[in-house]
Amino acid sequence: MKGIRLDKYLAQAGLGSRTQVKELLKKGKVTVNGQEVRRPEEKVIPGEDTVCCGEETVGHQEHRYYLLNKPAGLVSATEDSRERTVLELFPQGLRRGIFPVGRLDKDTVGLLLLTDDGELAHRLLSPRKHVEKVYEALVDGQMNQEDQRAFAQGLDIGDDTPTRPARLELCQVGEQSLVRITLTEGRYHQVKRMCQTVGKPVIKLKRLSMGSLKLDDSLREGEYRPLTEEEIGRLKEC
Ligand code: URA
C-alpha cells in the first residue's frame, strides 16, 4: 500500500500548517512505530503505522477539527466586511477550508468548534438531532425555581413555537445570578431571549459544551487546539 508524506499526515491531523509540522519534526517530537523521524518526506501508511507526537498518538484524519475558546469581540464567521472573525485567530496556513460549527454572538465567549468536515457540522447542527449545548450565564436578577419550571416547560420567546424544554441550574443566586442552561436547539440569541423573557437579562455568556465536546481549562480565551482522536470519535457518534 502506498503511504503519504509524514508532514502531510501531521498537517491533516490538525497539528499545524506544513511549515509548523516541519518544525515539530526538526525538534524530534515525532515518532513512527517508536522511531524518531525528522524527515518530512518520510512515507507513512495511515491505519498501519503508529505515529506519535510527544505522548499522543496521532490518528489519520481526513478532516481537521479545532476547539477554540472564543474571546468576545469577534464574529463566528469565515469572513465579514466590517468585523474581525474567529478565523483571524488562526495562522494563514491553517485557515483554508475551516469554518465555525454554528454561531456564538460577538460578545459570547467559550467553546467553538471549527472544522472542514461539512457532514459532521451538518449533523451537529441538525434540528432533528437535539445535540445538547451547555451555557454558563451571568444574569441580572435572582433566578429561582419558577424560572426553572418555565425553562423546563418551554418558553414563548416570540417565535412560532415555544422553545424545547431546557434545563436551568442555579449555581449562585443573588442580585446577579450565575446559572447553567442546557439547550437542545439553537435559535438566534436563544439564551439571551429566554433569560430576557423571565426578566433577567444576560450580562455575560459562555458556552461550556456542545454534545460530547467540552471546553477545557487548558485553553485561555483566544486559544485553540486540535481535537484529540478520542474527541473526534465521540463527536462522530452523535
Ligand atoms: N444564545 C445566545 O443568546 N447567544 C449565543 O451566543 C449563544 C446562545
Side-chain angles (χ1 to χ4, degrees), residues 10 44 52 81:
L10 294 168
V44 289
C52 294
S81 55

Side-chain angles (χ1 to χ4, degrees), residues 50-235:
T50 304
V51 180
C52 294
C53 182
E55 301 286 292
E56 285 271 330
T57 307
V58 182
H60 182 58
Q61 298 295 342
E62 217 178 303
H63 292 290
R64 292 177 295 135
Y65 306 86
Y66 298 101
L67 170 60
L68 169 69
N69 187 353
K70 179 191 173 297
L74 302 183
V75 295
S76 309
T78 50
E79 49 183 36
D80 192 281
S81 55
R82 280 188 306 255
E83 307 279 4
R84 289 186 63 211
T85 74
V86 289
L87 264 262
E88 292 174 34
L89 297 168
F90 291 77
Q92 203 72 42
L94 292 189
R95 288 185 202 170
R96 198 166 45 88
I98 61 168
F99 56 89
V101 178
R103 277 171 191 262
L104 289 180
D105 296 337
K106 186 175 163 188
D107 57 355
T108 301
V109 301
L111 179 145
L112 190 63
L113 170 66
L114 290 103
T115 182
D116 58 356
D117 183 346
E119 197 185 310
L120 179 69
H122 184 74
R123 272 195 282 140
L124 287 170
L125 298 175
S126 163
R128 276 175 313 195
K129 292 278 182 187
H130 307 312
V131 172
E132 282 197 351
K133 277 145 284 189
V134 181
Y135 295 88
E136 182 182 82
L138 179 69
V139 301
D140 193 13
Q142 289 205 359
M143 281 281 196
N144 54 37
Q145 287 184 342
E146 203 180 310
D147 300 323
Q148 287 182 303
R149 277 192 291 271
F151 273 55
Q153 267 164 20
L155 278 175
D156 178 358
I157 57 171
D159 292 343
D160 292 344
T161 54
T163 57
R164 285 176 52 78
R167 192 162 63 241
L168 172 65
E169 295 164 78
L170 310 179
C171 305
Q172 257 173 270
V173 175
E175 259 175 57
Q176 295 184 342
S177 307
L178 190 67
V179 296
R180 271 190 189 196
I181 297 166
T182 305
L183 304 182
T184 54
E185 56 186 348
R187 302 189 195 184
Y188 182 64
H189 292 331
Q190 184 163 349
V191 171
K192 290 177 185 165
R193 287 159 72 208
M194 289 174 78
C195 293
Q196 186 70 50
T197 300
V198 297
K200 283 125 202 180
V202 167
I203 301 166
K204 271 194 205 159
L205 186 59
K206 176 178 184 175
R207 183 156 64 189
L208 303 177
S209 67
M210 180 182 204
S212 58
L213 187 62
K214 299 201 174 10
L215 190 62
D216 60 51
D217 295 335
S218 69
L219 293 176
R220 283 183 302 217
E221 283 176 22
E223 292 183 339
Y224 63 87
R225 63 162 175 82
L227 262 58
T228 63
E229 259 199 280
E230 200 186 331
E231 286 171 324
I232 297 167
R234 273 190 278 134
L235 268 187

Side-chain angles (χ1 to χ4, degrees), residues 3-11 17-28 30 32 36-44 51:
I4 61 169
R5 282 175 62 112
L6 184 55
D7 57 348
K8 184 171 180 189
Y9 181 100
L10 294 168
S17 62
R18 284 281 188 109
T19 317
Q20 286 170 325
V21 301
K22 277 182 186 143
E23 274 306 305
L24 286 176
L25 288 162
K26 227 193 258 174
K27 287 185 186 149
V30 180
V32 178
E36 189 180 298
V37 177
R38 290 175 184 244
R39 293 174 52 239
E41 62 275 19
E42 181 89 9
K43 291 279 172 63
V44 289
V51 180

